[in-house]
Each structure stands twice: as structure tokens, then as C-alpha cells.
Amino acid sequence: MTGTVLWEPPADVLSTTRIGDYLRWLSDKGRNFGSYAELWDWSVTDLSGFWQSIWDYFEVIGHDEPAAVLDGASMPGAKWFPGATLNYAEHVLRMPGIGDDEAVVIAYSQTREPITLTARQLRDQVRRVRAGLKARGVGKGDRVAAYAPNIPETYVLMLATTSLGAIFSSCAPEFGSRSVIDRWSQIEPKVLVAVDGYKYGDKAISRTDEVAAIRSAIPSITSVVTIGYLDQEAGNWPSLSGDDPMEFEAVPFDHPLYVLYSSGTTGLPKPIVHGHGGILLEHLKILALHHDLGPGDRFFWFTTTGWMMWNFLVSGPAVGASIVFFDGNPGFPDMSALWDLVDSADIAYFGTSAPFLMACRKAGLKPDKPGLKAIGSTGAPLPAEGFHWVYDAVGKQLQLQSLSGGTDVCTGFVGASPLHPVIEGVIACRCLGAKVEAYDPAGHPVIDQLGELVITAPMPSMPVGFWNDPDGRRYREAYFDVFPGVWRHGDWITIAADGTSVITGRSDATLNRGGVRLGTAEFYSVVESLPEIADSVVVHLEQNDNPNGELLLFVVVADGGELTEELTGRIRRELRTALSPRHIPDEIYQVRAVPRTLSAKKLEVPVKRILTGTPVESAAAKGALANPESLTAFEELASRRSAQE
């Protein structure tokens, strides 16, 4: 794709990066590739050859060797590395290239002082907590739940749980009890580990009532362990301990590792089961070869334990990178809080979300971090102006990596690599092993045209399945109902002939004006670039007597201001000039807040459902929203519109 090039790989990129080393390793084995495009093509056409190379290159520890790499490539149902046994936690705690007394976890918090764990301390804490879980009757296949934030205790618990072959699941403590019960009542955990509370900025928030409600609602919980986090004299976390030797349960490649969840905005959250082997291979590949992480690097991603990026971050030590945690309000005391960690924690790779970068741009920040190697951006499409802000305000030496993927695969399937230049507003490549294509409505692949984002070959980190879905019906309906045998992800994507791509929003939130499909990301980029607009959401309502339908824009005015006629006119002019006359809304309304999930994603579809007459309680599960009160304005508008009709 064309556009301003903001960064180019250095001349010595092949000799200084992990993907360069991997290419030399392949060459020594008789496989030579003249470009990333050739390497990617091999990785998605010779699935067995590519994924065997990842197993071998990263020296995966197989307790039992596989009978094959891939037993059948049909989806769903592809079976990876049948016969193999391994353990995810064993590979994380191997920590290649990290000395016993080197820091591997550096944790910052607004609730307590920073904590650093060396490799030796992390292994010892996992060993002790593992023994404590065993003493409470936890074994292979049991579930352990953490109602805890992004802190070392949660990480230790996850590794201890998975080392036993037990299954981990976490919810961030900002989730209300209803949201947590909706998730964990499905998987029936045996042990619950929870914090007593936390601080968000300077505000102390107790969770004792929520923990009591969770325990009483889920009868499978036989043991509750409390981390004294808000009150460090409270809790019984130290009792979850023992002195057994460290061991790793060898489990099949597809044995459940952890359960993640869909947002649950329109029903019970889907419990997505990920396997030991699939997550291990995928994270080894993407963290080392795409993000270029390894010994000496400190890897940070701003995330909570309720977002898949936490699971992504904590695999860092498996490739030799130390990891940096932060728990608290990223905007407290101001928007510089996270950027300050770059210096205090010596961060090499700074991961965040596109909305955070755009908020920093809007606030006029200029962090200037010449030591950063890379910035990762995900969670929403990053517009071109966000790319420019990074290079103007943060540093020209770094590589900005815009990536997209999902909880469903616990990774990114389009992103970047050290071999790719950075072009404004563009995702640099399709990731190795991810056969991402754009489909037209008839199910044909298209290039340089907007299409449905699909994956047409299996990936090891696709879910093992959904919990309690014995015949796989819910799993098939979620991803394979539109194009049989092909994974439909639910995003609009344009893929160029050179492999670059642009994602323009969710396909289920499409704005269809007179047969022309418009992506929501383009709308938000224009509207939210206006200094008076803090946030926005746009929906399209079909009308039987109007082929264009009705386009409604809702805006949150910054600093408590008002939506004036002058501002309304300016929004319309900006959309007409920057996009097209088709993008001009029929109506623009002011609201106090845009509905967002607990992981901060905008909720266009529930808004559309409310405005077309669906009761609020059916349109959205309020427990899945960060701000359920925001739905009231849309409910009231729906009532007014209904009365007028």
C-alpha cells in the first residue's frame, strides 16, 4: 500500500534480529527464502514443515514425541502434534538467556510499592504455590480461578496451576460479581484466589463483597485464598505454599491451558479453551520472530488480567525476555504515567492500545523515549495520524508495530516484523503461519478490495474448543457458519498485493449506505480528531423505504461542553471533506458516554439493537460493560423515536 514511510529496517537487520537468525537456521537446513513474502507463503502452504521448524528452532521439550505435525488440515477439527506431551509452564520457566539472579518480573502498582522477581525467585514461588494447590486437592483438569490484577501473585498462580495440568482462568477485579459469575459458573473452579481490593489512581476499591458473592454463587469452589493487596496485613496468600520439588505434568498438546472469554455483551460470555501446545508454539513464534524479543529485552504491555494481552505478555520469559507489569489507572496522575515506566523499568518494547496512543496525541504529549526499540498497538485500528504522532513525539528510531488478532487465537494474525518498513496507517504483514485472506460475499478471495477477514488454514492457537460444548456446535457457529471450513473473524479488511493491510472495523457493525460499505474506524478517526470531541459511536439503521438507511452519530463532548450548531456543522464538513458525502450522518446526538466493554471496546451492535426496539436487558449484558449506565441515553432516544413514529 502507498503512504508515507516513517521507518525503514536497518541495513544489518538480518544479522541483528531473531527472524534473521531463524532464516539462517532454515538456510543451514536447505530452505532458502529471498523475501518475507516467500517465507510467509511457505509458512501457510507447508503447515507441517513450518510448525515443525518452530518446534525445532525453539527446542520445544516434548516428553513424548508427536506421531505427526498435523493430522488433517480441515477446520474445525485439525489435530496438531498428535501423541506429543509437553507443558507450557516448563517452557516459560526455562527462561532462556536469563540468569538465575537477573530480574524477570518487574511489577509496578498504584496499590503498593514496586516488586521485582529474579528468575530464581519466580521458579521458587511457582514451586511453593504449586505445592499449596496440590495440598488443596488440585490436579490435572481441575480449574483454578484468579480474581486478581496484573501483579506477580497472579502470574505465579497461573504458572503453578498449569504446571500441574490444571486449568487457569482470570478475571480482573474491576469486573463486577455478575460478570465473574457468568464466566466461572460455566467452568466450575475448585480454588478461587482473590484480592481484597485495589487502588485505581488514588481511589481505594474494596472487593470483599464481590468475592463473597462469587463464592456463594459457585458451589464448586472448595477453597478461597485471599491476597492482601489493598490491606497488605490481610489475607492468607502465604498459606498457599509447600515444599515439594518442582515438577511439570506432561500433558497432550491440546490439553486445556487456560480459559479466556468473549466479551459477553449479547449473552453469556463464550468460554474459549486454549491448549498448552498451541499457545506455546504461537507465542514463541510471534514474540521472537515478529516482536524480536529475547534476552536483555524488557517487554511491557498495558493490560488487565481480563484481556488476552495479559496472556500474551506473560509468555515473554519463554523467549528470554523479562516482563513489566503495571496495575492501576494509566491516566493517573496524568497521561505520562505509563511513559515514565519506559525509563524507570528500562522498557525495550512498549505495548498499548490504539485509543491510548490517540488520547496521548490529543493531550499534546511528547514523551520522547530514544531508548525504545518498538511500540505495539492493538485493540482498535490505529489511524495514520496516530502513526505520525508516535514518530513526532516518541522517537524516530523505534519500530511501530500495529497488530490485530483476538482472544479467539490469543495472538495477532496481522502485524509486523523487523523486516518490514512502517507505513502510515497500514498493518505491515500477515503473520507467519496465519493464512489471512479477504473474502467477498460469495466466499472468493479479493486483493485491494474490502472483504471479510478470514483464515483459510488452521493455526495451532485456534481454540481447542468451547467449554462444555461436547459436540462443538457453539464453536462451529461462532467461526465457521458463514464460510464452511473457513474461519470468519468478523472484521473488515483490505489486503494489498504486497501483503500489507488495513482493518476498518467490525463487519457486524457495517455502515451500508446505498450499497456502499463504510468502516467505522474511518468515522472515528475523523470525528475524534476534533479537539472538542472526546469519544463517539456511529450506527447505521436499515429502512424499508430508504435505500440509504439512517446514519446516526453519537458524540461525547470534551470537558463537559455542549454540542452546538457550529460544532455539528463542523463535524459534517469534516466528514464530507475527509471521507465522502455518504459519510455525513442524518442526525448527530450528544451523549455522556459511549458504551464500552470491560476491555474498552466500543459497542456499536448493542446500540443499534436498542435503537431498533430490542429491550436493553436483551441487547446487552450490563455486567459485560465498563459503563452500563451509558445505555440509558440510547434507551430514552429509542422511546422518543418510537413515540414519534
Side-chain angles (χ1 to χ4, degrees):
M1 289 185 179
T2 58
T4 303
V5 176
L6 300 171
W7 180 89
E8 298 243 33
D12 62 352
V13 63
L14 289 174
S15 61
T16 58
T17 60
R18 300 200 70 173
I19 194 170
D21 186 74
Y22 171 65
L23 284 166
R24 286 192 299 279
W25 181 86
L26 287 172
S27 179
D28 290 344
K29 297 187 176 302
R31 291 193 181 275
N32 295 286
F33 301 97
S35 65
Y36 179 88
E38 289 181 13
L39 177 64
W40 178 81
D41 187 66
W42 170 67
S43 78
V44 298
T45 53
D46 182 3
L47 295 174
S48 293
F50 172 69
W51 288 106
Q52 181 68 59
S53 81
I54 296 299
W55 179 291
D56 294 340
Y57 178 73
F58 290 102
E59 299 179 345
V60 169
I61 304 164
H63 294 262
D64 294 289
E65 291 301 311
V69 174
L70 181 59
D71 183 8
S74 60
M75 294 188 291
K79 185 140 181 99
W80 292 95
F81 293 89
T85 60
L86 43 58
N87 190 283
Y88 166 86
E90 183 172 13
H91 292 81
V92 174
L93 292 173
R94 184 166 57 168
M95 297 181 269
I98 301 177
D100 284 349
D101 296 316
E102 289 183 46
V104 68
V105 177
I106 305 99
Y108 293 85
S109 164
Q110 291 171 344
T111 305
R112 65 184 179 195
E113 292 300 307
I115 290 174
T116 297
L117 295 181
T118 65
R120 189 193 313 274
Q121 289 169 329
L122 177 61
R123 290 189 186 104
D124 187 60
Q125 289 194 19
V126 172
R127 177 183 67 83
R128 290 181 173 278
V129 171
R130 180 184 193 275
L133 290 171
K134 276 185 71 179
R136 283 166 169 76
V138 174
K140 183 177 177 181
D142 290 328
R143 277 76 66 204
V144 174
Y147 188 49
N150 185 14
I151 57 177
E153 290 92 334
T154 315
Y155 187 37
V156 167
L157 180 70
M158 186 273 283
L159 292 172
T161 299
T162 57
S163 75
L164 287 163
I167 304 162
F168 180 79
S169 186
S170 60
C171 286
E174 60 263 30
F175 283 32
S177 57
R178 182 71 261 162
S179 296
V180 178
I181 293 163
D182 283 348
R183 287 160 170 77
W184 289 343
S185 59
Q186 299 183 70
I187 65 167
E188 300 176 302
K190 177 178 281 190
V191 173
L192 167 63
V193 177
V195 290
D196 58 340
Y198 61 95
K199 277 189 175 181
Y200 192 73
D202 58 357
K203 182 181 179 183
I205 300 168
S206 172
R207 294 282 91 175
T208 53
D209 290 346
E210 285 74 12
V211 173
I214 293 163
R215 182 174 192 175
S216 68
I218 303 177
S220 63
I221 296 172
T222 60
S223 180
V224 176
V225 178
T226 303
I227 301 168
Y229 185 52
L230 188 59
D231 177 2
Q232 293 172 39
E233 300 301 316
N236 60 340
W237 169 255
S239 72
L240 190 64
S241 184
D243 203 24
D244 297 352
M246 188 68 218
E247 294 177 347
F248 298 97
E249 179 76 22
V251 297
F253 189 89
D254 59 0
H255 182 75
L257 171 69
Y258 40 58
V259 181
L260 306 183
Y261 300 89
S262 66
S263 60
T265 52
T266 55
L268 278 180
K270 294 188 287 287
I272 300 166
V273 183
H274 286 292
H276 275 248
I279 289 296
L280 174 64
L281 288 191
E282 173 59 36
H283 288 181
L284 289 172
K285 177 212 75 180
I286 195 164
L287 293 176
L289 304 185
H290 286 275
H291 295 332
D292 198 37
L293 291 164
D297 290 326
R298 290 191 173 175
F299 177 38
F300 169 78
W301 212 291
F302 176 68
T303 180
T304 74
T305 55
W307 188 25
M308 59 136 290
M309 292 311 298
W310 184 81
N311 304 77
F312 189 81
L313 167 67
V314 299
S315 287
V319 298
S322 300
I323 51 178
V324 179
F325 293 164
F326 174 82
D327 176 46
N329 179 352
F332 180 84
D334 55 44
M335 293 297 290
S336 297
L338 295 185
W339 296 109
D340 291 343
L341 293 181
V342 174
D343 301 319
S344 54
D346 194 23
I347 290 168
Y349 193 110
F350 182 93
T352 185
S353 65
F356 175 79
L357 294 175
M358 294 304 290
C360 291
R361 173 183 177 269
K362 199 157 197 171
L365 256 64
K366 294 197 172 179
D368 188 20
K369 300 299 175 187
L372 266 183
K373 182 168 84 171
I375 288 178
S377 171
T378 191
L382 183 66
E385 53 268 32
F387 280 70
H388 282 279
W389 176 81
V390 166
Y391 283 96
D392 291 341
V394 187
K396 299 191 183 302
Q397 80 294 338
L398 60 84
Q399 183 182 23
L400 173 58
Q401 299 191 324
S402 178
L403 61 147
S404 184
T407 301
D408 328 75
V409 288
C410 200
T411 191
F413 37 63
V414 291
S417 87
L419 306 180
H420 289 89
V422 176
I423 300 171
E424 60 176 2
V426 169
I427 297 174
C429 67
R430 291 175 281 188
C431 294
L432 297 175
K435 195 171 184 182
V436 175
E437 298 186 78
Y439 267 17
D440 67 14
H444 301 131
V446 293
I447 295 292
D448 290 321
Q449 294 179 39
L450 188 68
E452 284 269 9
L453 192 162
V454 297
I455 306 174
T456 57
M459 294 172 63
S461 70
M462 286 176 173
V464 172
F466 290 168
W467 192 267
N468 200 21
D469 182 29
D471 61 0
R473 180 183 57 82
R474 292 173 65 204
Y475 179 53
R476 288 192 301 275
E477 289 174 352
Y479 307 112
F480 302 101
D481 62 337
V482 176
F483 304 112
V486 171
W487 175 291
R488 172 184 171 269
H489 195 67
D491 286 334
W492 288 125
I493 190 170
T494 302
I495 300 173
D498 62 2
T500 58
S501 62
V502 173
I503 290 178
T504 48
R506 295 291 297 170
S507 55
D508 57 8
T510 305
L511 314 173
N512 192 332
R513 296 283 268 178
V516 178
R517 294 177 301 189
L518 312 174
T520 55
E522 300 166 295
F523 255 86
Y524 301 142
S525 176
V526 173
V527 173
E528 292 169 25
S529 68
L530 295 171
E532 296 92 342
I533 303 301
D535 204 357
S536 64
V537 64
V538 63
V539 296
H540 179 260
L541 308 182
E542 290 78 15
Q543 294 178 322
N544 292 331
D545 57 350
N546 180 359
N548 284 327
E550 189 177 19
L551 194 62
L552 305 181
L553 175 64
F554 301 87
V555 298
V556 179
V557 182
D559 302 321
E562 292 295 322
L563 180 63
T564 62
E565 287 189 19
E566 188 276 330
L567 179 54
T568 298
R570 193 140 49 89
I571 292 170
R572 295 181 187 278
R573 288 193 300 274
E574 288 289 332
L575 287 167
R576 176 189 289 273
T577 303
L579 300 178
S580 78
R582 289 182 185 271
H583 289 77
I584 300 172
D586 295 294
E587 298 289 345
I588 303 176
Y589 297 94
Q590 181 174 359
V591 292
R592 290 185 178 180
V594 167
R596 290 184 179 268
T597 67
L598 291 162
S599 56
K601 294 185 186 297
K602 297 187 189 194
L603 289 172
E604 294 106 337
V605 173
V607 168
K608 181 174 179 176
R609 295 180 71 192
I610 291 169
L611 293 174
T612 52
T614 302
V616 170
E617 58 272 15
S618 301
K622 290 189 176 182
L625 272 67
N627 52 352
E629 70 284 352
S630 63
L631 298 176
T632 303
F634 301 98
E635 184 180 29
E636 292 172 350
L637 176 61
S639 296
R640 292 200 302 272
R641 287 165 58 91
S642 177
Q644 290 167 2
E645 290 171 4

